[in-house]
C-alpha cells in the first residue's frame, strides 16, 4: 500500500518585530536556524540583523523527566528487537503483550512524576514553568498514555468480548487520575460527607466502575443520616453485587451475561419502586447503573471527554461488547457528547481511527497531532513486529517503520546525551540506518576527550573507519591549538595521519630546543611501532631513545644511535648541529666511544653542514643534551668542536 504525498500546509509567521523583512532559515535534524536577510521586500538591501534564532521543533527532549521516558523506552525497544523472527507466532504474542505493557508502565510513571513535580513545588515561578511544561507536553503524552488501547487492546492481544470493557476502564482510569486527588481532599476534611465535592467523588468513582471506592465514601454519608440508612444500604448492595467479567475465572461469557441481566433487572425494580426518590444523588447513581444516557450527559463535567462517556456507557449498557462493534458505539457517543457546533479535535480522529482498527490512519493522525516521533516510532515498530504493517511501504525507498524510527533517532541526536540512544535505533534500520548514523555521528559536539573516545568506540564497533579518522583528526587539531602536544600526537597516531604527526613532531623538537627538555615523556617513550608513521616521528622517538641511553651511561649504544640518525638521513638537516653538539660529551669521555669510522662520519656530517649545503637556523638556540649554547659564541664553539673531533680522529687512527 502506497500513500501519495500531499503538499504541506503553509504556516504564516505574525511576528510584528520582523516588519515585513525577509527571513532565511537552515534546517537541522532537530531545529531550525532563522535569520534576517539583508534584502528589503521592495528590492535592494538593508542592514542585516546580527542575531540568529534557534527554533526547536522537539522541545520534549530537553525535559529531565521526559528524558527518563526516552531512556526507559529505549531499553524496551532494544529488548523487542531481540525477539527471534523464527519463533512461532503463538509463542511471540505473549512477549509482544509484555512489551506493550512495559511501554505503558513507563508512560504511567513519567506522567505521575510530571504531575507531582508541578503540584509540589513551592516556588511560584518554578510552578508556572512546570505548569507550562505539563501543558506543552500533554498533547504528546495523551496519546502515549493510550499505548495500551492502541497496542495491547486492539492490534496485539485481540481481547475477547467481555474483557474489552475492563481494558477500556483501565485506560480511562489512567487518563482521568484527578479523581483520587479530589477524594483525598474530601476525606482529609473535618466533615467529608458535608464537603462540597463529596457527591462528585462518589459519582466519579461510579462512572469509572470503581464500586468498592464508591461504597467506602458512601459510608461517610450514611452515618450522618440514620433515617436514610436503609436506602444507603440498598444502594450499597447494588454496587456490591454488580457483576464484573473476569477472563481468568471459569465463568463463561454466557453465564456472565445472564448474571448481569438479573442484576440489571434488580436495579430497574428499585427505580420503578422509587426506592431512592427522596435522595436525588442516590437516584442519579441508580440511573447511572442502568445506563441512563440522559443522566450520564448531565455529568459531562465529571466525564470530561466523550471517550470516558463511551466507556461508562458500555460498562452499564453493553458490558459484553465485541471489538468489531466498538466503532459504532464510539461514533454515536462522540456525537451525543459533543456539541453539534464543536469541531472534533485531532485526538478525536485518532481515537475513532483506533476504534475502527485503521492502523495506518492512527499513525498518520498521530504524526500530525504530536510534536515528536516517540509515540508513532515505537507504536509502528511494535506493530511491524506483529506483522501488521508488512504491506505498507513508502514510495521513496523505506518502509513506514524505518522512516519513523529514523526521524525519531535524528531528533535524539540533537541532545547532548540522548544521541547515544539514537545509535541503537539506527542499528535496527537495515536500509538507511547506517547512512544516517554516518552523517549524524560527525555532528556530535566533541566537547571532551572522554566524549570523543565514546564516539570512536561506537564507530569502531561498526567498522566506520573514515569517521574514526575524522574524529581523531578533529581532536588532534583541537589539542594542538591548546598546545597539548602529547594529546595531539596521540590523536594523530590514532588517526594514522602521517602529515599531522610530522607537524606535531616538529613542534616537539622546537619545544625541546627552546626548553631543553621533552614534554610528555611517557608518550614518546612508548611510541612503539607507531613511530614508523612518519620519518619525523621516527626521529623524535629515536632521539628520545638516545637521551635515555645516555642517561643510563650506555655511551656506546647512544653514540651508535646518534650517528645513525644523521647518516640514515632520518634527522632533519636543521637539527644536525644539535646532534653534533650532543656528540661532544661522548667525544670528551676518557674511553674512546666513537671508532675511527664513526668519527670520520661525524667529520663528514660536520663538513657537509658547514659547506653551505644545509644552514641551521641562526635564531634557534643550540642544545647539548638539553643544555643551551649561546648564539653569540656559536662560531668559536664550532671551531672548538671541530678541533676536538679531529683530535679524536687522529688519536683513534694512532691507536688503530
Amino acid at each position: 500500500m502506497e500513500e501519495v504525498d500531499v503538499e504541506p500546509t503553509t504556516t504564516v509567521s505574525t511576528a510584528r518585530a520582523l516588519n515585513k523583512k525577509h527571513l532565511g532559515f537552515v534546517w537541522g535534524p532537530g531545529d531550525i536556524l532563522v535569520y534576517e536577510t539583508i534584502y528589503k521586500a521592495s528590492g535592494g538591501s538593508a542592514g542585516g540583523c546580527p542575531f540568529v534564532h534557534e527554533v526547536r521543533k522537539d522541545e520534549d527532549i530537553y525535559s529531565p523527566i521526559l528524558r527518563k521516558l526516552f531512556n526507559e523506552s529505549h531499553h524496551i525497544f532494544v529488548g523487542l528487537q531481540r525477539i527471534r523472527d523464527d519463533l512461532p507466532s503463538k509463542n511471540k504474542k505473549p512477549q509482544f503483550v509484555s512489551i506493550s505493557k512495559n511501554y505503558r508502565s513507563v508512560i504511567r510513571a513519567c506522567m505521575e512524576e510530571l504531575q507531582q513535580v508541578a503540584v509540589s513545588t513551592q516556588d511560584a515561578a518554578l510552578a508556572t514553568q512546570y505548569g507550562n511544561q505539563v501543558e506543552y507536553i500533554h498533547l504528546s503524552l495523551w496519546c502515549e498514555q493510550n499505548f495500551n488501547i492502541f497496542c495491547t487492546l486492539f492490534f496485539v492481544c485481540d481481547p475477547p468480548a467481555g474483557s474489552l470493557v475492563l481494558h477500556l476502564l483501565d485506560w480511562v482510569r489512567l487518563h482521568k487520575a484527578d479523581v483520587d486527588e479530589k477524594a483525598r481532599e474530601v476525606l482529609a476534611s473535618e466533615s467529608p460527607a458535608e464537603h462540597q465535592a463529596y457527591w462528585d467523588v462518589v459519582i466519579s468513582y461510579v462512572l469509572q466502575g470503581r464500586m468498592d471506592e464508591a461504597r467506602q465514601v458512601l459510608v461517610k454519608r450514611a452515618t450522618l443520616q440514620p433515617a436514610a440508612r436503609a436506602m444507603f444500604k440498598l444502594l450499597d448492595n447494588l454496587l456490591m453485587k454488580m457483576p464484573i467479567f473476569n477472563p481468568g475465572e471459569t465463568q463463561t461469557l454466557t453465564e456472565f451475561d445472564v448474571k448481569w441481566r438479573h442484576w440489571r433487572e434488580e436495579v430497574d425494580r428499585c427505580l420503578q419502586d422509587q426506592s431512592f426518590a427522596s435522595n436525588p444523588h442516590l437516584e442519579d447513581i441508580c440511573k447511572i447503573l442502568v445506563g441512563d444516557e440522559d443522566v450520564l450527559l448531565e455529568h459531562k463535567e465529571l466525564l470530561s471527554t466523550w471517550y470516558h462517556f463511551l466507556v461508562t456507557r458500555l460498562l452499564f449498557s453493553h458490558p459484553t461488547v465485541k471489538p468489531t462493534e466498538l466503532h459504532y458505539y464510539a461514533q454515536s457517543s462522540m456525537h451525543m457528547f459533543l456539541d453539534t457546533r464543536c469541531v472534533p479535535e485531532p485526538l478525536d480522529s485518532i481515537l475513532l481511527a483506533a476504534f475502527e482498527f485503521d492502523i495506518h490512519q492512527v499513525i498518520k493522525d498521530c504524526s500530525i497531532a504530536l510534536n515528536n516521533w516517540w509515540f508513532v516510532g515505537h507504536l509502528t515498530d511494535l506493530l511491524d513486529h506483529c506483522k501488521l504493517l508488512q504491506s505498507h511501504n513508502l514510495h521513496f525507498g523505506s518502509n513506514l517503520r524505518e522512516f519513523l524510527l529514523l526521524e525519531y533517532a535524528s531528533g535524539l541526536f540533537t541532545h547532548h546525551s540522548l544521541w547515544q540512544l539514537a545509535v541503537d535505533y539506527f542499528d535496527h534500520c537495515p536500509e538507511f540506518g547506517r547512512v544516517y548514523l554516518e552523517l549524524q555521528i560527525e555532528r556530535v559536539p566533541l566537547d571532551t576527550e572522554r566524549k570523543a573516545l565514546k564516539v570512536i568506540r561506537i564507530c569502531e564497533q561498526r567498522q566506520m573507519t573514515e569517521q574514526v579518522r575524522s574524529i581523531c583528526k578533529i581532536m588532534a587539531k583541537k589539542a594542538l591549538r591548546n598546545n597539548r602536544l602529547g594529546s595531539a600526537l596521540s590523536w594523530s597516531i590514532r588517526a594514522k595521519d602521517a602529515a599531522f604527526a610530522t607537524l606535531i613532531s616538529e613542534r616537539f623538537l622546537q619545544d625541546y630546543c627552546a626548553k631543553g627538555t621533552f614534554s610528555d615523556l611517557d608518550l614518546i617513550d612508548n611510541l612503539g611501532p607507531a613511530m614508523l608513521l612518519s620519518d619525523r616521528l621516527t626521529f623524535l622517538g629515536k632521539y628520545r631513545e638516545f637521551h635515555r641511553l645516555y642517561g643510563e651511561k650506555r655511551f656506546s649504544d647512544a653514540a651508535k644511535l646518534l650517528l645513525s640518525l644523521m647518516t640514515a638521513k632520518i634527522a632533519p638537516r636543521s637539527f644536525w648541529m644539535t646532534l653534533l653538539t650532543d656528540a661532544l660529551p661522548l667525544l670528551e669521555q676518557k674511553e674512546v666511544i666513537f671508532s675511527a669510522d664513526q668519527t670520520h662520519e661525524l667529520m663528514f656530517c660536520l663538513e657537509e653542514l658547514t659547506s653551505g649545503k644545509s644552514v641551521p637556523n641562526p635564531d634557534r638556540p643550540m642544545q647539548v643534551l638539553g643544555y643551551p649554547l649561546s648564539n653569540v659564541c656559536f662560531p668559536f664553539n664550532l671551531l672548538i668542536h671541530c678541533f676536538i673531533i679531529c683530535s679524536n680522529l687522529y688519536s683513534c687512527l694512532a691507536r688503530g
Side-chain angles (χ1 to χ4, degrees), residues 393-399 402 431-432:
N393 293 319
L394 304 178
H395 66 274
F396 47 81
S398 175
N399 60 41
E402 181 163 325
E431 192 164 355
F432 296 118

Side-chain angles (χ1 to χ4, degrees), residues 532-597:
L532 301 177
L533 183 61
S534 73
D535 291 344
R536 199 55 45 84
L537 185 58
T538 302
F539 170 71
L540 176 63
K542 291 297 183 181
Y543 186 54
R544 169 56 193 159
E545 185 179 349
F546 161 75
H547 278 260
R548 184 172 53 80
L549 293 173
Y550 186 89
E552 296 172 357
K553 300 188 182 302
R554 297 165 58 185
F555 299 130
S556 178
D557 294 336
K560 184 177 180 180
L561 177 59
L562 182 67
L563 187 61
S564 68
L565 291 177
M566 290 188 290
T567 57
K569 310 300 182 182
I570 296 177
R573 292 291 185 90
S574 60
F575 210 75
W576 275 22
M577 183 58 69
T578 301
L579 297 179
L580 288 171
T581 53
D582 283 341
L584 287 178
L586 298 175
L587 291 169
E588 294 172 347
Q589 296 294 325
K590 294 180 180 180
E591 58 177 323
V592 178
I593 304 299
F594 289 100
S595 66
D597 292 338

Side-chain angles (χ1 to χ4, degrees), residues 310-589:
L310 163 68
V311 176
T312 303
R313 181 185 172 198
L314 293 175
L315 173 65
F316 296 115
S317 300
H318 310 282
T320 58
V321 62
K322 299 177 181 178
T324 54
E325 302 170 343
L326 193 57
H327 167 61
Y328 303 104
Y329 291 110
Q331 284 278 11
S332 62
S333 296
M334 187 178 73
H335 291 311
M336 291 170 62
F337 191 87
L338 297 180
D339 192 301
T340 55
R341 294 169 296 177
C342 294
V343 178
E345 297 289 335
L347 299 181
D348 300 329
S349 301
I350 294 173
L351 273 180
L352 285 178
F355 292 142
E356 292 176 358
F357 302 97
D358 190 344
I359 301 174
H360 299 140
Q361 191 63 40
V362 168
I363 295 172
K364 180 179 179 180
D365 290 343
C366 287
S367 300
I368 297 173
L370 301 179
N371 62 344
N372 67 67
W373 299 101
W374 183 93
F375 177 68
V376 291
H378 290 86
L379 172 64
T380 306
D381 175 61
L382 179 57
L383 297 178
D384 184 75
H385 279 82
C386 297
K387 307 300 182 184
L388 296 173
L389 289 174
Q390 281 184 317
S391 62
H392 193 76
N393 293 319
L394 304 178
H395 66 274
F396 47 81
S398 175
N399 60 41
L400 182 61
R401 169 194 173 272
E402 181 163 325
F403 170 76
L404 294 174
L405 288 180
L406 290 173
E407 289 296 316
Y408 172 64
S410 298
L412 291 180
F413 247 100
T414 63
H415 192 269
H416 63 87
S417 63
L418 294 179
W419 66 269
Q420 300 172 74
L421 307 181
V423 174
D424 287 326
Y425 289 95
F426 285 140
D427 283 344
H428 292 96
C429 294
E431 192 164 355
F432 296 118
R434 183 178 178 87
V435 177
Y436 269 68
L437 180 58
E438 289 175 351
L439 294 174
Q440 295 285 358
I441 202 75
E442 295 180 351
R443 300 179 179 180
V444 177
L446 304 177
D447 306 320
T448 63
E449 290 196 357
R450 180 181 178 184
K451 189 173 183 179
L453 291 172
K454 190 178 296 183
V455 176
I456 287 175
R457 184 167 60 252
I458 290 173
C459 294
E460 288 177 342
Q461 291 170 351
R462 292 155 181 81
Q463 289 79 47
M464 296 165 59
T465 308
E466 289 301 318
Q467 283 69 28
V468 171
R469 293 190 62 184
S470 175
I471 293 168
C472 290
K473 288 181 181 181
I474 292 172
M475 295 304 297
K477 292 179 181 178
K478 185 180 294 188
L480 185 60
R481 285 197 299 267
N482 295 327
N483 203 32
R484 296 169 56 229
L485 299 182
S487 178
L489 181 58
S490 176
W491 284 111
S492 62
I493 291 173
R494 190 162 187 170
K496 296 181 174 58
D497 190 340
F500 205 70
T502 299
L503 174 63
I504 300 173
S505 300
E506 282 280 5
R507 289 284 299 270
F508 265 106
L509 296 175
Q510 294 173 11
D511 196 49
Y512 167 77
C513 291
K515 300 178 181 178
T517 57
F518 282 108
S519 58
D520 299 286
L521 290 179
D522 289 341
L523 175 62
I524 301 176
D525 288 341
N526 295 281
L527 285 174
M531 71 172 62
L532 301 177
L533 183 61
S534 73
D535 291 344
R536 199 55 45 84
L537 185 58
T538 302
F539 170 71
L540 176 63
K542 291 297 183 181
Y543 186 54
R544 169 56 193 159
E545 185 179 349
F546 161 75
H547 278 260
R548 184 172 53 80
L549 293 173
Y550 186 89
E552 296 172 357
K553 300 188 182 302
R554 297 165 58 185
F555 299 130
S556 178
D557 294 336
K560 184 177 180 180
L561 177 59
L562 182 67
L563 187 61
S564 68
L565 291 177
M566 290 188 290
T567 57
K569 310 300 182 182
I570 296 177
R573 292 291 185 90
S574 60
F575 210 75
W576 275 22
M577 183 58 69
T578 301
L579 297 179
L580 288 171
T581 53
D582 283 341
L584 287 178
L586 298 175
L587 291 169
E588 294 172 347
Q589 296 294 325

